[in-house]
Amino acid sequence: MTSTNSPLAVRQSITTTDTKGPAADIAALARLRTQAQSYRLRRRQAIPAASPPDSVFIVRSGLVAAENAALPGHRTIVELLYPGDIIASSLQPLTPGLTYTTMSATELWRMGTGTLKAEMAGDPSLAEFIFQRLNLQRARMQLHITMLAGLSSEQRVAGLLLQAAYRLGSSNGGTISFDMPLSRTEVAEYLALNADTLSRIMSRLERENVLARSSRAQVSIRNLDALKAHCPLSDSVIALHSEA
Amino acid sequence: MTSTNSPLAVRQSITTTDTKGPAADIAALARLRTQAQSYRLRRRQAIPAASPPDSVFIVRSGLVAAENAALPGHRTIVELLYPGDIIASSLQPLTPGLTYTTMSATELWRMGTGTLKAEMAGDPSLAEFIFQRLNLQRARMQLHITMLAGLSSEQRVAGLLLQAAYRLGSSNGGTISFDMPLSRTEVAEYLALNADTLSRIMSRLERENVLARSSRAQVSIRNLDALKAHCPLSDSVIALHSEA
DNA sequence: CGTTCGTTTGAAAATATTCAAGAATCGTGG
DNA sequence: CCACGATTCTTGAATATTTTCAAACGAACG
C-alpha cells in the first residue's frame, strides 16, 4: 500500500541540537550525544534494518511504528515508539518480517551496539536508564496485548485515543487536541480491526460528542471522562503514557 | 477461578543441581549459580511480585505465564516464559495488574537486581546474553501480537500447537507428543478467544486427523505439515521456538 | 480539472461469543 | 479398585460482533 523508503538524511549531531517538537530530554542520554549519529527522517520513511549491521537507534522526537508484514495481504503495527524509546532490532534474534517506519517527522540517534555497551559500562546511570526503558517498552507491549485480547473494538479505539491525547495532545480549555500521525488504515493495523469498522466507531464517538474532528487527522477530545469510560483499561493506558 | 498461591519452597541452589526436565543449560548463566537463590514451585503458584522488592528471576525449567487481571471478569495471558527467560518485573515501571504464575513445575533462580548488574559488569558475555535474551523475549511478544492481530481463531490455535510441539514435544516416529501445560481456559486466555470456540477448533483438528488426544492434556501431532498449513505464520513461530 | 487515494456508510456475510445442557475427566475417600 | 462429587471440557442453537463488499463521497495533487 505505502512504501516510500527514501535514503536517510544523515547529520552529525555534534554540530547542533535544534530539535523541533518534543524531544526526549533525559539527562542519562546527554552523554550519548557526541557518540551518536543523528538522523532526521520525514514521515513514512523506513529505518534501515542495519546500515552498519550492528546498531541501536534511540528515538529523539517523532513517532516510529514497528510493522510486521509477514502475513501476505495484511500488515500489523506491533508497537509504537515514542521519544526516548530504544530500537535494538539489530541484535541477533529478530521477528521475521519486522520493519520500523516513521509515522511523523522523526529524529533518531544511531550508534553501534559496541559503542552503547562501552558507554553503559562507564556510566551506571546510563545502563540503569537503558534497562528501565526497555522494561517500560515491554510493559507497553504487554498492555497492548491485554487490550487486543480483552477489549472490544470500540474500547480499543478509546484506548488509542487516550494514548494519543496523553502523548501528543495539547489542552485548550477543557478539550485536548492533537494531530493523529496514523492514518485510518494504520490505526486499524495497530488495533487489530478493520478500517471500515474503525471509521464507524470514530463516527459514533463524534455523534456522542466525545470528540470532534476538523480535518482528517485533527482530533479534539471534548469529553475526556466519557472517553475514559469507554476504555476499561484507561487507568493502565494513562499510567504508561502520561509521563515523559 | 484458580488461585492457589502457597508460600514458596525455597532452596539454596549451591547445594545441588538435580534439575528434572529440560533446564536452560546456558554457559553464560553458569556463573550465576552461586549468586542465585533457587526456588522450586509446583504448578499454579504465583511468583511473588518482589519478596525483596528488587529482584530478577530466571526461569531454569518449567513454564511461567505472565497474566494480566486488570479487566474485571477477564484474564489475559500476555506472555509465556520458557527456560532461560528473564523476569525483570521488579524494575520500576510495571504493567498494572500483571502477575506471574507457574504453569507447570518450575525452577527459578532469584537474585537482586544489583547482584545481577555487578555480575554483568564483570562478565561481558553474561551481559551480552541477558541483553539478547530480553530481545528474544521481545521478539516473541511481537510475534504474539502479530498472531492476535492477523490470524483467525483456528490459525492462532495452530500456531500455539506448533509452539508447544517445538518447545515441549518429543518425536515418536512421525508424531510429536506433548503434555499441554495450559488448561483449555488458559489457552483461550493466551490466544484471545473463547474457551468454547477453542474446544470446537480442537475437535475439528482432531476430526481432520491433524492431532489426536489421549487424555485431557496429552496431545499428539499426527500431521505436522497439515498443522503448519493451518498457521500462516508457522515459519516465524518455528524460528522463535525451535532453538534451546 | 480530472485522477487518485483515503474515508465513510449500508447491506450481506462470515466469524466468534454466549448460554445452557450434557459428557468426560480428575481427585478424593472409601 | 471403585464410587462420588467437582471441575473441566464439549457441543448445539441463538445471538452478537466484526468483516467484507460495493458504492459514494471527499480531500489532495498533479
PDB file of all heavy atoms in Angstrom, chain A residues 68 74 79 88 91-92 95 98 117 128 131-132 135 137-139 142 146, chain B residues 68 79 88 91-92 95 98 117 128 131-132 135 137-139 142 146 150:
ATOM      1  N   ASN A  68       4.881  -5.454  11.160  1.00  0.00           N
ATOM      2  CA  ASN A  68       5.136  -6.822  10.736  1.00  0.00           C
ATOM      3  C   ASN A  68       4.346  -7.099   9.469  1.00  0.00           C
ATOM      4  O   ASN A  68       3.126  -7.023   9.453  1.00  0.00           O
ATOM      5  CB  ASN A  68       4.733  -7.805  11.832  1.00  0.00           C
ATOM      6  CG  ASN A  68       5.197  -9.210  11.508  1.00  0.00           C
ATOM      7  OD1 ASN A  68       5.158  -9.643  10.361  1.00  0.00           O
ATOM      8  ND2 ASN A  68       5.659  -9.920  12.512  1.00  0.00           N
ATOM      9  N   HIS A  74      -1.804  -8.568   4.706  1.00  0.00           N
ATOM     10  CA  HIS A  74      -2.202  -7.972   5.972  1.00  0.00           C
ATOM     11  C   HIS A  74      -0.966  -7.494   6.709  1.00  0.00           C
ATOM     12  O   HIS A  74      -0.009  -8.245   6.869  1.00  0.00           O
ATOM     13  CB  HIS A  74      -2.950  -8.983   6.834  1.00  0.00           C
ATOM     14  CG  HIS A  74      -3.463  -8.409   8.111  1.00  0.00           C
ATOM     15  ND1 HIS A  74      -3.803  -7.103   8.283  1.00  0.00           N
ATOM     16  CD2 HIS A  74      -3.685  -8.975   9.295  1.00  0.00           C
ATOM     17  CE1 HIS A  74      -4.247  -6.899   9.501  1.00  0.00           C
ATOM     18  NE2 HIS A  74      -4.159  -8.014  10.154  1.00  0.00           N
ATOM     19  N   GLU A  79       3.880  -2.187  17.509  1.00  0.00           N
ATOM     20  CA  GLU A  79       4.349  -1.373  18.622  1.00  0.00           C
ATOM     21  C   GLU A  79       4.562   0.047  18.128  1.00  0.00           C
ATOM     22  O   GLU A  79       4.984   0.265  16.998  1.00  0.00           O
ATOM     23  CB  GLU A  79       5.687  -1.971  19.093  1.00  0.00           C
ATOM     24  CG  GLU A  79       6.221  -1.465  20.397  1.00  0.00           C
ATOM     25  CD  GLU A  79       7.595  -2.047  20.691  1.00  0.00           C
ATOM     26  OE1 GLU A  79       8.141  -2.741  19.827  1.00  0.00           O
ATOM     27  OE2 GLU A  79       8.115  -1.779  21.784  1.00  0.00           O
ATOM     28  N   ALA A  88      16.430  -1.803  19.384  1.00  0.00           N
ATOM     29  CA  ALA A  88      17.604  -2.666  19.433  1.00  0.00           C
ATOM     30  C   ALA A  88      17.411  -3.827  18.481  1.00  0.00           C
ATOM     31  O   ALA A  88      17.772  -4.955  18.764  1.00  0.00           O
ATOM     32  CB  ALA A  88      17.832  -3.159  20.854  1.00  0.00           C
ATOM     33  N   LEU A  91      20.186  -6.542  17.098  1.00  0.00           N
ATOM     34  CA  LEU A  91      20.716  -7.663  17.854  1.00  0.00           C
ATOM     35  C   LEU A  91      20.140  -8.948  17.292  1.00  0.00           C
ATOM     36  O   LEU A  91      19.123  -8.959  16.634  1.00  0.00           O
ATOM     37  CB  LEU A  91      20.375  -7.519  19.342  1.00  0.00           C
ATOM     38  CG  LEU A  91      21.131  -6.361  19.986  1.00  0.00           C
ATOM     39  CD1 LEU A  91      20.785  -6.260  21.445  1.00  0.00           C
ATOM     40  CD2 LEU A  91      22.625  -6.554  19.809  1.00  0.00           C
ATOM     41  N   GLN A  92      20.783 -10.016  17.604  1.00  0.00           N
ATOM     42  CA  GLN A  92      20.549 -11.273  16.925  1.00  0.00           C
ATOM     43  C   GLN A  92      19.101 -11.614  16.578  1.00  0.00           C
ATOM     44  O   GLN A  92      18.716 -11.530  15.433  1.00  0.00           O
ATOM     45  CB  GLN A  92      21.197 -12.425  17.692  1.00  0.00           C
ATOM     46  CG  GLN A  92      21.733 -13.528  16.796  1.00  0.00           C
ATOM     47  CD  GLN A  92      22.126 -13.068  15.402  1.00  0.00           C
ATOM     48  OE1 GLN A  92      21.361 -13.185  14.457  1.00  0.00           O
ATOM     49  NE2 GLN A  92      23.321 -12.496  15.248  1.00  0.00           N
ATOM     50  N   THR A  95      12.239 -10.558  14.959  1.00  0.00           N
ATOM     51  CA  THR A  95      10.978 -11.112  14.487  1.00  0.00           C
ATOM     52  C   THR A  95      11.005 -11.126  12.960  1.00  0.00           C
ATOM     53  O   THR A  95      11.262 -10.096  12.348  1.00  0.00           O
ATOM     54  CB  THR A  95       9.814 -10.241  14.957  1.00  0.00           C
ATOM     55  OG1 THR A  95       9.945  -9.981  16.346  1.00  0.00           O
ATOM     56  CG2 THR A  95       8.487 -10.918  14.685  1.00  0.00           C
ATOM     57  N   LEU A  98       9.822  -8.000  10.359  1.00  0.00           N
ATOM     58  CA  LEU A  98       9.595  -6.767  11.096  1.00  0.00           C
ATOM     59  C   LEU A  98      10.404  -5.606  10.514  1.00  0.00           C
ATOM     60  O   LEU A  98      11.586  -5.749  10.225  1.00  0.00           O
ATOM     61  CB  LEU A  98       9.979  -6.951  12.563  1.00  0.00           C
ATOM     62  CG  LEU A  98       9.407  -5.874  13.489  1.00  0.00           C
ATOM     63  CD1 LEU A  98       7.973  -6.216  13.845  1.00  0.00           C
ATOM     64  CD2 LEU A  98      10.238  -5.741  14.733  1.00  0.00           C
ATOM     65  N   LYS A 117      27.344  -0.187  24.538  1.00  0.00           N
ATOM     66  CA  LYS A 117      27.733  -1.029  25.670  1.00  0.00           C
ATOM     67  C   LYS A 117      28.906  -0.448  26.424  1.00  0.00           C
ATOM     68  O   LYS A 117      28.945  -0.478  27.659  1.00  0.00           O
ATOM     69  CB  LYS A 117      28.059  -2.439  25.166  1.00  0.00           C
ATOM     70  CG  LYS A 117      26.801  -3.260  24.996  1.00  0.00           C
ATOM     71  CD  LYS A 117      27.107  -4.699  24.673  1.00  0.00           C
ATOM     72  CE  LYS A 117      25.812  -5.438  24.396  1.00  0.00           C
ATOM     73  NZ  LYS A 117      25.980  -6.468  23.369  1.00  0.00           N
ATOM     74  N   GLU A 128      21.387   1.922  33.788  1.00  0.00           N
ATOM     75  CA  GLU A 128      20.125   1.864  34.502  1.00  0.00           C
ATOM     76  C   GLU A 128      18.987   2.378  33.628  1.00  0.00           C
ATOM     77  O   GLU A 128      17.916   1.772  33.538  1.00  0.00           O
ATOM     78  CB  GLU A 128      20.236   2.720  35.774  1.00  0.00           C
ATOM     79  CG  GLU A 128      18.979   2.780  36.623  1.00  0.00           C
ATOM     80  CD  GLU A 128      18.779   1.496  37.397  1.00  0.00           C
ATOM     81  OE1 GLU A 128      19.726   0.715  37.512  1.00  0.00           O
ATOM     82  OE2 GLU A 128      17.641   1.277  37.871  1.00  0.00           O
ATOM     83  N   PHE A 131      18.132  -0.046  30.701  1.00  0.00           N
ATOM     84  CA  PHE A 131      17.437  -1.203  31.235  1.00  0.00           C
ATOM     85  C   PHE A 131      15.983  -0.872  31.537  1.00  0.00           C
ATOM     86  O   PHE A 131      15.057  -1.591  31.146  1.00  0.00           O
ATOM     87  CB  PHE A 131      18.153  -1.659  32.508  1.00  0.00           C
ATOM     88  CG  PHE A 131      18.322  -3.132  32.607  1.00  0.00           C
ATOM     89  CD1 PHE A 131      19.219  -3.787  31.795  1.00  0.00           C
ATOM     90  CD2 PHE A 131      17.576  -3.857  33.514  1.00  0.00           C
ATOM     91  CE1 PHE A 131      19.370  -5.162  31.872  1.00  0.00           C
ATOM     92  CE2 PHE A 131      17.717  -5.234  33.598  1.00  0.00           C
ATOM     93  CZ  PHE A 131      18.628  -5.880  32.778  1.00  0.00           C
ATOM     94  N   GLN A 132      15.777   0.201  32.240  1.00  0.00           N
ATOM     95  CA  GLN A 132      14.416   0.573  32.628  1.00  0.00           C
ATOM     96  C   GLN A 132      13.578   0.935  31.421  1.00  0.00           C
ATOM     97  O   GLN A 132      12.378   0.656  31.364  1.00  0.00           O
ATOM     98  CB  GLN A 132      14.464   1.754  33.600  1.00  0.00           C
ATOM     99  CG  GLN A 132      15.006   1.370  34.957  1.00  0.00           C
ATOM    100  CD  GLN A 132      14.300   2.098  36.075  1.00  0.00           C
ATOM    101  OE1 GLN A 132      13.340   2.832  35.844  1.00  0.00           O
ATOM    102  NE2 GLN A 132      14.757   1.877  37.295  1.00  0.00           N
ATOM    103  N   ASN A 135      12.402  -2.035  29.706  1.00  0.00           N
ATOM    104  CA  ASN A 135      11.356  -2.637  30.510  1.00  0.00           C
ATOM    105  C   ASN A 135      10.030  -1.889  30.369  1.00  0.00           C
ATOM    106  O   ASN A 135       8.955  -2.489  30.351  1.00  0.00           O
ATOM    107  CB  ASN A 135      11.779  -2.661  31.973  1.00  0.00           C
ATOM    108  CG  ASN A 135      11.615  -4.027  32.561  1.00  0.00           C
ATOM    109  OD1 ASN A 135      12.044  -5.002  31.958  1.00  0.00           O
ATOM    110  ND2 ASN A 135      10.985  -4.097  33.717  1.00  0.00           N
ATOM    111  N   GLN A 137       9.099  -0.249  27.692  1.00  0.00           N
ATOM    112  CA  GLN A 137       8.564  -0.602  26.379  1.00  0.00           C
ATOM    113  C   GLN A 137       7.891  -1.973  26.433  1.00  0.00           C
ATOM    114  O   GLN A 137       6.850  -2.203  25.820  1.00  0.00           O
ATOM    115  CB  GLN A 137       9.692  -0.591  25.333  1.00  0.00           C
ATOM    116  CG  GLN A 137      10.250   0.792  25.082  1.00  0.00           C
ATOM    117  CD  GLN A 137      11.439   0.785  24.124  1.00  0.00           C
ATOM    118  OE1 GLN A 137      12.454   1.387  24.404  1.00  0.00           O
ATOM    119  NE2 GLN A 137      11.312   0.100  23.003  1.00  0.00           N
ATOM    120  N   ARG A 138       8.511  -2.859  27.178  1.00  0.00           N
ATOM    121  CA  ARG A 138       7.937  -4.182  27.373  1.00  0.00           C
ATOM    122  C   ARG A 138       6.575  -4.085  28.053  1.00  0.00           C
ATOM    123  O   ARG A 138       5.612  -4.734  27.639  1.00  0.00           O
ATOM    124  CB  ARG A 138       8.915  -4.967  28.235  1.00  0.00           C
ATOM    125  CG  ARG A 138       8.442  -6.302  28.689  1.00  0.00           C
ATOM    126  CD  ARG A 138       9.386  -6.768  29.821  1.00  0.00           C
ATOM    127  NE  ARG A 138       9.256  -8.184  30.016  1.00  0.00           N
ATOM    128  CZ  ARG A 138       9.687  -9.081  29.148  1.00  0.00           C
ATOM    129  NH1 ARG A 138      10.295  -8.701  28.047  1.00  0.00           N
ATOM    130  NH2 ARG A 138       9.506 -10.367  29.370  1.00  0.00           N
ATOM    131  N   ALA A 139       6.479  -3.235  29.051  1.00  0.00           N
ATOM    132  CA  ALA A 139       5.213  -3.075  29.758  1.00  0.00           C
ATOM    133  C   ALA A 139       4.137  -2.529  28.812  1.00  0.00           C
ATOM    134  O   ALA A 139       2.981  -2.951  28.864  1.00  0.00           O
ATOM    135  CB  ALA A 139       5.390  -2.140  30.952  1.00  0.00           C
ATOM    136  N   GLN A 142       2.893  -5.298  26.730  1.00  0.00           N
ATOM    137  CA  GLN A 142       2.008  -6.180  27.498  1.00  0.00           C
ATOM    138  C   GLN A 142       0.615  -5.574  27.610  1.00  0.00           C
ATOM    139  O   GLN A 142      -0.392  -6.275  27.480  1.00  0.00           O
ATOM    140  CB  GLN A 142       2.602  -6.426  28.892  1.00  0.00           C
ATOM    141  CG  GLN A 142       3.859  -7.272  28.851  1.00  0.00           C
ATOM    142  CD  GLN A 142       4.490  -7.452  30.209  1.00  0.00           C
ATOM    143  OE1 GLN A 142       4.349  -6.617  31.087  1.00  0.00           O
ATOM    144  NE2 GLN A 142       5.207  -8.550  30.378  1.00  0.00           N
ATOM    145  N   THR A 146      -2.959  -7.020  26.199  1.00  0.00           N
ATOM    146  CA  THR A 146      -4.148  -7.106  27.037  1.00  0.00           C
ATOM    147  C   THR A 146      -5.326  -6.417  26.372  1.00  0.00           C
ATOM    148  O   THR A 146      -6.456  -6.913  26.414  1.00  0.00           O
ATOM    149  CB  THR A 146      -3.880  -6.466  28.407  1.00  0.00           C
ATOM    150  OG1 THR A 146      -2.704  -7.044  28.976  1.00  0.00           O
ATOM    151  CG2 THR A 146      -5.053  -6.679  29.347  1.00  0.00           C
TER     152      THR A 146
ATOM    153  N   ASN B  68      -2.417 -10.864  33.042  1.00  0.00           N
ATOM    154  CA  ASN B  68      -2.952  -9.549  33.357  1.00  0.00           C
ATOM    155  C   ASN B  68      -4.403  -9.688  33.779  1.00  0.00           C
ATOM    156  O   ASN B  68      -5.246 -10.148  33.006  1.00  0.00           O
ATOM    157  CB  ASN B  68      -2.837  -8.624  32.155  1.00  0.00           C
ATOM    158  CG  ASN B  68      -3.164  -7.189  32.526  1.00  0.00           C
ATOM    159  OD1 ASN B  68      -4.069  -6.926  33.312  1.00  0.00           O
ATOM    160  ND2 ASN B  68      -2.416  -6.254  31.965  1.00  0.00           N
ATOM    161  N   GLU B  79       2.033 -13.472  27.999  1.00  0.00           N
ATOM    162  CA  GLU B  79       3.338 -13.949  27.566  1.00  0.00           C
ATOM    163  C   GLU B  79       3.620 -15.274  28.248  1.00  0.00           C
ATOM    164  O   GLU B  79       3.247 -15.479  29.394  1.00  0.00           O
ATOM    165  CB  GLU B  79       4.384 -12.909  28.002  1.00  0.00           C
ATOM    166  CG  GLU B  79       5.743 -13.051  27.420  1.00  0.00           C
ATOM    167  CD  GLU B  79       6.703 -12.023  28.015  1.00  0.00           C
ATOM    168  OE1 GLU B  79       6.296 -11.272  28.922  1.00  0.00           O
ATOM    169  OE2 GLU B  79       7.859 -11.982  27.572  1.00  0.00           O
ATOM    170  N   ALA B  88      12.093  -9.576  34.733  1.00  0.00           N
ATOM    171  CA  ALA B  88      12.661  -8.379  35.358  1.00  0.00           C
ATOM    172  C   ALA B  88      11.536  -7.478  35.815  1.00  0.00           C
ATOM    173  O   ALA B  88      11.594  -6.267  35.703  1.00  0.00           O
ATOM    174  CB  ALA B  88      13.575  -7.666  34.375  1.00  0.00           C
ATOM    175  N   LEU B  91      11.712  -4.205  38.292  1.00  0.00           N
ATOM    176  CA  LEU B  91      12.202  -2.890  37.923  1.00  0.00           C
ATOM    177  C   LEU B  91      11.028  -1.934  37.825  1.00  0.00           C
ATOM    178  O   LEU B  91       9.883  -2.320  37.673  1.00  0.00           O
ATOM    179  CB  LEU B  91      12.953  -2.954  36.600  1.00  0.00           C
ATOM    180  CG  LEU B  91      14.272  -3.712  36.724  1.00  0.00           C
ATOM    181  CD1 LEU B  91      14.999  -3.749  35.402  1.00  0.00           C
ATOM    182  CD2 LEU B  91      15.141  -3.049  37.772  1.00  0.00           C
ATOM    183  N   GLN B  92      11.331  -0.698  37.869  1.00  0.00           N
ATOM    184  CA  GLN B  92      10.336   0.320  38.072  1.00  0.00           C
ATOM    185  C   GLN B  92       8.987   0.148  37.373  1.00  0.00           C
ATOM    186  O   GLN B  92       8.014  -0.181  38.002  1.00  0.00           O
ATOM    187  CB  GLN B  92      10.912   1.713  37.752  1.00  0.00           C
ATOM    188  CG  GLN B  92      10.374   2.824  38.628  1.00  0.00           C
ATOM    189  CD  GLN B  92       9.913   2.352  39.987  1.00  0.00           C
ATOM    190  OE1 GLN B  92       8.747   2.106  40.219  1.00  0.00           O
ATOM    191  NE2 GLN B  92      10.840   2.197  40.925  1.00  0.00           N
ATOM    192  N   THR B  95       3.511  -3.235  34.290  1.00  0.00           N
ATOM    193  CA  THR B  95       2.153  -3.193  33.768  1.00  0.00           C
ATOM    194  C   THR B  95       1.189  -3.351  34.932  1.00  0.00           C
ATOM    195  O   THR B  95       1.298  -4.314  35.684  1.00  0.00           O
ATOM    196  CB  THR B  95       1.917  -4.339  32.771  1.00  0.00           C
ATOM    197  OG1 THR B  95       2.974  -4.343  31.823  1.00  0.00           O
ATOM    198  CG2 THR B  95       0.592  -4.160  32.055  1.00  0.00           C
ATOM    199  N   LEU B  98      -0.317  -6.963  36.517  1.00  0.00           N
ATOM    200  CA  LEU B  98       0.395  -8.116  35.964  1.00  0.00           C
ATOM    201  C   LEU B  98       0.954  -9.003  37.070  1.00  0.00           C
ATOM    202  O   LEU B  98       1.546  -8.524  38.027  1.00  0.00           O
ATOM    203  CB  LEU B  98       1.542  -7.647  35.068  1.00  0.00           C
ATOM    204  CG  LEU B  98       2.080  -8.729  34.139  1.00  0.00           C
ATOM    205  CD1 LEU B  98       1.196  -8.829  32.902  1.00  0.00           C
ATOM    206  CD2 LEU B  98       3.510  -8.451  33.749  1.00  0.00           C
ATOM    207  N   LYS B 117      23.510  -6.973  38.093  1.00  0.00           N
ATOM    208  CA  LYS B 117      24.233  -5.915  37.385  1.00  0.00           C
ATOM    209  C   LYS B 117      25.730  -5.999  37.641  1.00  0.00           C
ATOM    210  O   LYS B 117      26.542  -5.812  36.742  1.00  0.00           O
ATOM    211  CB  LYS B 117      23.703  -4.544  37.808  1.00  0.00           C
ATOM    212  CG  LYS B 117      22.442  -4.189  37.044  1.00  0.00           C
ATOM    213  CD  LYS B 117      22.000  -2.767  37.309  1.00  0.00           C
ATOM    214  CE  LYS B 117      20.684  -2.508  36.574  1.00  0.00           C
ATOM    215  NZ  LYS B 117      19.799  -1.637  37.338  1.00  0.00           N
ATOM    216  N   GLU B 128      25.975  -9.712  27.529  1.00  0.00           N
ATOM    217  CA  GLU B 128      25.545  -9.983  26.157  1.00  0.00           C
ATOM    218  C   GLU B 128      24.366 -10.950  26.147  1.00  0.00           C
ATOM    219  O   GLU B 128      23.362 -10.734  25.466  1.00  0.00           O
ATOM    220  CB  GLU B 128      26.731 -10.586  25.384  1.00  0.00           C
ATOM    221  CG  GLU B 128      26.444 -10.959  23.950  1.00  0.00           C
ATOM    222  CD  GLU B 128      26.371  -9.733  23.065  1.00  0.00           C
ATOM    223  OE1 GLU B 128      26.839  -8.657  23.508  1.00  0.00           O
ATOM    224  OE2 GLU B 128      25.817  -9.838  21.955  1.00  0.00           O
ATOM    225  N   PHE B 131      21.112  -9.306  27.500  1.00  0.00           N
ATOM    226  CA  PHE B 131      20.597  -8.371  26.505  1.00  0.00           C
ATOM    227  C   PHE B 131      19.889  -9.108  25.381  1.00  0.00           C
ATOM    228  O   PHE B 131      18.764  -8.776  25.002  1.00  0.00           O
ATOM    229  CB  PHE B 131      21.775  -7.561  25.940  1.00  0.00           C
ATOM    230  CG  PHE B 131      21.483  -6.113  25.784  1.00  0.00           C
ATOM    231  CD1 PHE B 131      21.381  -5.289  26.894  1.00  0.00           C
ATOM    232  CD2 PHE B 131      21.307  -5.566  24.521  1.00  0.00           C
ATOM    233  CE1 PHE B 131      21.105  -3.952  26.743  1.00  0.00           C
ATOM    234  CE2 PHE B 131      21.029  -4.220  24.368  1.00  0.00           C
ATOM    235  CZ  PHE B 131      20.926  -3.409  25.477  1.00  0.00           C
ATOM    236  N   GLN B 132      20.543 -10.110  24.860  1.00  0.00           N
ATOM    237  CA  GLN B 132      19.973 -10.849  23.735  1.00  0.00           C
ATOM    238  C   GLN B 132      18.727 -11.609  24.151  1.00  0.00           C
ATOM    239  O   GLN B 132      17.771 -11.733  23.387  1.00  0.00           O
ATOM    240  CB  GLN B 132      21.007 -11.826  23.176  1.00  0.00           C
ATOM    241  CG  GLN B 132      22.134 -11.121  22.457  1.00  0.00           C
ATOM    242  CD  GLN B 132      22.611 -11.883  21.239  1.00  0.00           C
ATOM    243  OE1 GLN B 132      22.034 -12.906  20.872  1.00  0.00           O
ATOM    244  NE2 GLN B 132      23.639 -11.363  20.590  1.00  0.00           N
ATOM    245  N   ASN B 135      15.851  -9.395  24.323  1.00  0.00           N
ATOM    246  CA  ASN B 135      15.449  -9.062  22.963  1.00  0.00           C
ATOM    247  C   ASN B 135      14.676 -10.199  22.309  1.00  0.00           C
ATOM    248  O   ASN B 135      13.725  -9.987  21.563  1.00  0.00           O
ATOM    249  CB  ASN B 135      16.688  -8.730  22.140  1.00  0.00           C
ATOM    250  CG  ASN B 135      16.522  -7.427  21.414  1.00  0.00           C
ATOM    251  OD1 ASN B 135      16.112  -6.441  22.031  1.00  0.00           O
ATOM    252  ND2 ASN B 135      16.807  -7.419  20.130  1.00  0.00           N
ATOM    253  N   GLN B 137      12.849 -12.369  23.932  1.00  0.00           N
ATOM    254  CA  GLN B 137      11.519 -12.378  24.535  1.00  0.00           C
ATOM    255  C   GLN B 137      10.643 -11.307  23.899  1.00  0.00           C
ATOM    256  O   GLN B 137       9.456 -11.507  23.654  1.00  0.00           O
ATOM    257  CB  GLN B 137      11.636 -12.136  26.042  1.00  0.00           C
ATOM    258  CG  GLN B 137      12.280 -13.300  26.770  1.00  0.00           C
ATOM    259  CD  GLN B 137      12.514 -13.017  28.243  1.00  0.00           C
ATOM    260  OE1 GLN B 137      13.585 -13.258  28.767  1.00  0.00           O
ATOM    261  NE2 GLN B 137      11.500 -12.512  28.931  1.00  0.00           N
ATOM    262  N   ARG B 138      11.261 -10.166  23.606  1.00  0.00           N
ATOM    263  CA  ARG B 138      10.557  -9.090  22.938  1.00  0.00           C
ATOM    264  C   ARG B 138      10.081  -9.533  21.554  1.00  0.00           C
ATOM    265  O   ARG B 138       8.935  -9.293  21.180  1.00  0.00           O
ATOM    266  CB  ARG B 138      11.534  -7.923  22.813  1.00  0.00           C
ATOM    267  CG  ARG B 138      11.080  -6.782  22.002  1.00  0.00           C
ATOM    268  CD  ARG B 138      12.311  -5.900  21.695  1.00  0.00           C
ATOM    269  NE  ARG B 138      11.896  -4.590  21.282  1.00  0.00           N
ATOM    270  CZ  ARG B 138      11.349  -3.709  22.094  1.00  0.00           C
ATOM    271  NH1 ARG B 138      11.165  -4.013  23.368  1.00  0.00           N
ATOM    272  NH2 ARG B 138      10.975  -2.541  21.646  1.00  0.00           N
ATOM    273  N   ALA B 139      10.947 -10.231  20.843  1.00  0.00           N
ATOM    274  CA  ALA B 139      10.574 -10.712  19.508  1.00  0.00           C
ATOM    275  C   ALA B 139       9.396 -11.683  19.601  1.00  0.00           C
ATOM    276  O   ALA B 139       8.480 -11.644  18.776  1.00  0.00           O
ATOM    277  CB  ALA B 139      11.774 -11.391  18.837  1.00  0.00           C
ATOM    278  N   GLN B 142       6.276  -9.738  20.029  1.00  0.00           N
ATOM    279  CA  GLN B 142       5.884  -9.112  18.775  1.00  0.00           C
ATOM    280  C   GLN B 142       5.183 -10.108  17.866  1.00  0.00           C
ATOM    281  O   GLN B 142       4.182  -9.791  17.224  1.00  0.00           O
ATOM    282  CB  GLN B 142       7.115  -8.520  18.080  1.00  0.00           C
ATOM    283  CG  GLN B 142       7.679  -7.316  18.816  1.00  0.00           C
ATOM    284  CD  GLN B 142       8.939  -6.782  18.172  1.00  0.00           C
ATOM    285  OE1 GLN B 142       9.682  -7.506  17.530  1.00  0.00           O
ATOM    286  NE2 GLN B 142       9.192  -5.488  18.364  1.00  0.00           N
ATOM    287  N   THR B 146       1.341 -10.082  16.444  1.00  0.00           N
ATOM    288  CA  THR B 146       1.029 -10.274  15.028  1.00  0.00           C
ATOM    289  C   THR B 146       0.002 -11.380  14.849  1.00  0.00           C
ATOM    290  O   THR B 146      -0.919 -11.265  14.034  1.00  0.00           O
ATOM    291  CB  THR B 146       2.309 -10.625  14.242  1.00  0.00           C
ATOM    292  OG1 THR B 146       3.291  -9.630  14.501  1.00  0.00           O
ATOM    293  CG2 THR B 146       2.022 -10.682  12.749  1.00  0.00           C
ATOM    294  N   GLY B 150      -3.597 -10.655  13.269  1.00  0.00           N
ATOM    295  CA  GLY B 150      -3.764 -11.011  11.862  1.00  0.00           C
ATOM    296  C   GLY B 150      -4.330 -12.381  11.586  1.00  0.00           C
ATOM    297  O   GLY B 150      -4.700 -12.668  10.453  1.00  0.00           O
TER     298      GLY B 150
END
